[in-house]
Amino acid sequence: MATRRRWRFIHAQVAWLLATILSLSLLGAFSLELFFVVSLIGFLVVVELTGSLGVTPRWRARLKWIILLGLAVFASIVVRRLLEILPPGVFG
């Protein structure tokens, strides 16, 4: 059974995702890359704001793997964007 804190985390994350989709759509700036980056930022903020200082439940300990995966995808997006910006022939 999900705890109260877990539901608070889930509600905050869903609210952030919906606000992100709505904001990017209203601004006409929606792209999957931008959605991912803003969602990752929101995920990290929600993880920090809903964390407790005492005992860490098992479900929160598993969030580190999601964070690592998200940061790896973010790094790949940044590298790809940098390679698009740099002139051809810089790296080979």
Side-chain angles (χ1 to χ4, degrees):
M1 176 176 218
T3 64
R4 197 167 159 194
R5 288 179 191 236
R6 187 184 310 181
W7 280 113
R8 187 179 309 152
F9 174 81
I10 292 170
H11 289 152
Q13 185 61 34
V14 169
W16 182 270
L17 291 173
L18 291 174
T20 299
I21 290 173
L22 182 64
S23 299
L24 290 175
S25 296
L26 288 175
L27 293 172
F30 186 83
S31 71
L32 289 179
E33 287 180 348
L34 190 56
F35 174 72
F36 178 80
V37 171
V38 176
S39 296
L40 179 63
I41 292 169
F43 181 75
L44 295 173
V45 168
V46 169
V47 166
E48 287 301 315
L49 290 179
T50 59
S52 62
L53 297 175
V55 177
T56 303
R58 225 176 4 177
W59 68 271
R60 286 197 60 89
R62 288 187 291 247
L63 291 178
K64 68 181 174 187
W65 298 110
I66 297 172
I67 292 170
L68 287 174
L69 178 65
L71 291 175
V73 173
F74 175 74
S76 70
I77 290 171
V78 169
V79 167
R80 200 175 100 234
R81 286 291 179 119
L82 281 174
L83 291 176
E84 289 176 1
I85 294 170
L86 293 175
V90 172
F91 287 110

